[in-house]
Amino acid sequence: MKNNEDKFKKVISHAKEYGYIFQSSEIYDGLNAVYDYGQNGAELKKNIREYWWKAMVQMHENIVGIDAAIFMHPTTWKASGHVDAFNDPLIDNKDSKKRYRADVLIEDYAEKLNLKAQKEIKKAAKRFGDAFNEEEFVSTNAKVLRYYAKRDEVLKRMASSLEAEDLADVKKLIEELEIACPVSGSKNWTDVKQFNLMFGTKLGATAESSMDLYLRPETAQGIFVNFSNVQKTGRMKIPFGIAQTGKAFRNEIVARQFIFRMREFEQMEMQFFVRPGEEIKWYNHWKEERLNWHLSLGLPKENYRFHDHDKLAHYANAAADIEFNFPFGFKELEGIHSRTDFDLKAHEEFSGKKLQFFDHEVNKSYVPYVIETSIGLDRMFLAIFSASLQKETLEDNSERIVLKLPAVLAPTKAAVLPLVKKDGLPEIARKIIDELKYDFNVTYDEKDAIGRRYRRQDAAGTPFCITVDHQTKEDQMVTIRHRDSMKQERVSIERIKEIINREVSMSSWLQKI
Ligand code: ATP
């Protein structure tokens, strides 16, 4: 645990030191759970967004993208259920005065049971070596069975009390499990209360004529209210999807995990409209396709797992999360939800407009069912950034900090470095930059010894360093150094573009999905 905490602290300080993420309004001591992306962060975020957009929109003939406004007619949020049901159960610890989400306290408890079971499995695997049969062990070992049974029981009980809005039972469960406040260690809890997460604001100049609005808590509703516009003008046929990226706002009760849980964040969502009755087939399809998208970026597979929901939202008939192994453990990175026809039907009812599709194949109109894929761009950023940040011990026993971002996402693709600041080398380096800058983000650095400059680019996540030396003047060759392997090769200036392109071009990465 301590190790993980240290790792997380390092991630946060590295993100600041290298211009990725700053606390918002830092000169005024910051604003809680709001962050700004710096010069490198903005690029990384843009690249992740683009990688998602291309995979969704460009790569699918039947998916189109829109950009809806953040402000929406307030009835939208009545129809979607957010006014009445977008609540989190909150609980306060009377001694530490800290506020928690009751469901998260219970989920963390369940995760501890999970970890205990996994520890037993690991121990046994070590003991039995090659002869270890994990499936058999998990289904027969008394301890493991007990941990898993308890975990499932706890999560089921929570799901059913939340479903029934029995908040007293949620509190009782916390007491029965003897869950203590992580800050004070005290078990002195208040009652559990519901708290609406939407931010309100006003539209209009005078008090009498102004209208109460909400900042959208999800981008999805901008897609639903435009269903007919897009379907008709795009002549879309079922099954088809509408994608969108954009800001969303939630007044989160507990926002203590850096950019994992923010009050202003960005979502990348796609709503896929299907024939009623075919939703589970498409739900499984999108689960698989989304996981493949993540895996195409090349981080180890063990970082991802599915978590199927016991507690379904009011609109869903199936739901799963893709969880990622963040520095603080496995947590939700993306949700894949089968939302039924709940949203379109609700908007039909509240607006009085038909939101249907005439399906020539079956010769009838219906309200389509919806599969949603919803991922937080900031969470994706944190996943990639934290897993890429590594400390390596080199052959000579020295250490280097390297940010092994997938090259396709790296903010700067290459640094061009004249070995010395004289003898015409800077001029050659500048000329190389002038040729590369039309295709890639490149940077110039002439300060400090070459080894230090390499380290600086490693830590910033730059996949290539191109060094210009005296020999370059004779033979038009430079040294290209690869960030991950630290291998260096001598190549002609003419070939630099092709070499960089091979590793960073989005099209070759997209082909891996
Ligand atoms: P959680 O249970 O973590 O609060 P959620 O289930 O409410 O998340 P959804 O409503 O399904 O999340 O939102 C879809 C995605 O949006 C999430 O998978 C997550 O990546 C992202 N997201 C949600 N809330 C936040 C937030 N406060 N900060 C950053 N990203 C968020």
Side-chain angles (χ1 to χ4, degrees), residues 163-409:
E163 181 82 34
E165 295 203 16
D166 187 352
L167 298 181
D169 193 57
V170 176
K171 179 177 182 190
K172 215 163 126 213
L173 182 59
I174 289 176
E175 286 171 343
E176 278 172 28
L177 297 174
E178 300 189 359
I179 296 176
C181 164
V183 174
S184 64
S186 132
K187 294 171 195 155
N188 194 4
W189 297 106
T190 62
D191 286 344
V192 178
K193 283 190 292 256
Q194 292 288 20
F195 176 79
N196 193 289
L197 301 181
M198 281 198 294
F199 280 105
T201 184
K202 282 192 189 304
L203 181 89
T206 60
E208 307 85 67
S209 67
S210 75
M211 190 180 199
D212 285 322
L213 290 191
Y214 295 106
L215 298 184
R216 67 180 177 197
E218 62 176 27
T219 57
Q221 299 304 325
I223 293 178
F224 294 128
V225 299
N226 278 300
F227 167 78
S228 280
N229 284 338
V230 175
Q231 191 273 315
K232 291 203 173 89
T233 57
R235 296 187 298 131
M236 310 302 291
K237 287 197 181 56
I238 284 219
F240 74 92
I242 305 179
Q244 155 158 252
T245 71
K247 288 272 171 127
F249 303 83
R250 295 182 189 179
N251 199 0
E252 297 281 1
I253 299 171
V254 186
R256 290 191 201 116
Q257 279 162 322
F258 194 37
I259 57 168
F260 179 82
R261 192 176 298 288
M262 299 155 92
R263 300 208 160 100
E264 171 182 342
F265 60 101
E266 193 163 335
Q267 288 186 314
M268 307 192 286
E269 296 198 303
M270 194 278 297
Q271 311 293 329
F272 198 71
F273 301 95
V274 305
R275 216 178 255 171
E278 294 189 355
E279 69 274 15
I280 296 303
K281 176 182 96 186
W282 285 108
Y283 166 72
N284 289 325
H285 167 89
W286 280 108
K287 268 175 80 173
E288 191 184 325
E289 186 153 338
R290 291 305 303 146
L291 184 62
N292 287 342
W293 180 84
H294 287 283
L295 295 178
S296 73
L297 287 168
L299 300 181
K301 238 177 45 218
E302 304 72 61
N303 280 323
Y304 304 87
R305 72 180 188 198
F306 278 115
H307 165 73
D308 294 310
H309 282 209
D310 293 319
K311 174 184 123 193
L312 290 175
H314 57 281
Y315 51 74
N317 69 358
D321 297 334
I322 294 177
E323 294 187 336
F324 186 81
N325 194 7
F326 288 98
F328 37 84
F330 273 97
K331 294 268 177 216
E332 171 176 346
L333 169 59
E334 168 158 10
I336 295 122
H337 311 126
S338 174
R339 291 180 81 122
T340 68
D341 56 359
F342 173 86
D343 302 272
L344 290 181
K345 267 219 168 114
H347 288 303
E348 273 198 330
E349 192 187 313
F350 279 77
S351 69
K353 310 274 174 7
K354 274 212 168 341
L355 297 175
Q356 303 197 354
F357 174 76
F358 184 77
D359 191 331
H360 286 278
E361 270 177 45
V362 290
N363 207 23
K364 68 172 190 204
S365 279
Y366 52 77
V367 178
Y369 270 48
V370 173
I371 306 303
E372 161 181 87
T373 73
S374 175
I375 174 169
L377 175 50
D378 313 86
R379 269 191 207 180
M380 183 64 192
F381 185 114
L382 181 59
I384 294 283
F385 190 89
S386 58
S388 298
L389 184 61
Q390 292 170 23
K391 184 150 104 182
E392 286 182 349
T393 307
L394 306 178
E395 271 170 20
D396 64 357
N397 266 334
S398 65
E399 280 183 343
R400 74 160 180 162
I401 302 287
V402 52
L403 188 61
K404 290 187 168 175
L405 295 172
V408 65
L409 302 180

Side-chain angles (χ1 to χ4, degrees), residues 1 10 12 32 37 80 138 157 177 190 201 242 265 284 288 298 318 330 338 369 372 388 408 428 438 442 466 477 498:
M1 192 62 195
K10 289 207 172 98
I12 297 170
N32 201 5
Y37 287 84
S80 68
V138 169
R157 161 113 172 256
L177 297 174
T190 62
T201 184
I242 305 179
F265 60 101
N284 289 325
E288 191 184 325
F330 273 97
S338 174
Y369 270 48
E372 161 181 87
S388 298
V408 65
I428 302 177
Y438 296 96
V442 282
I466 297 158
M477 305 272 274
E498 166 215 324

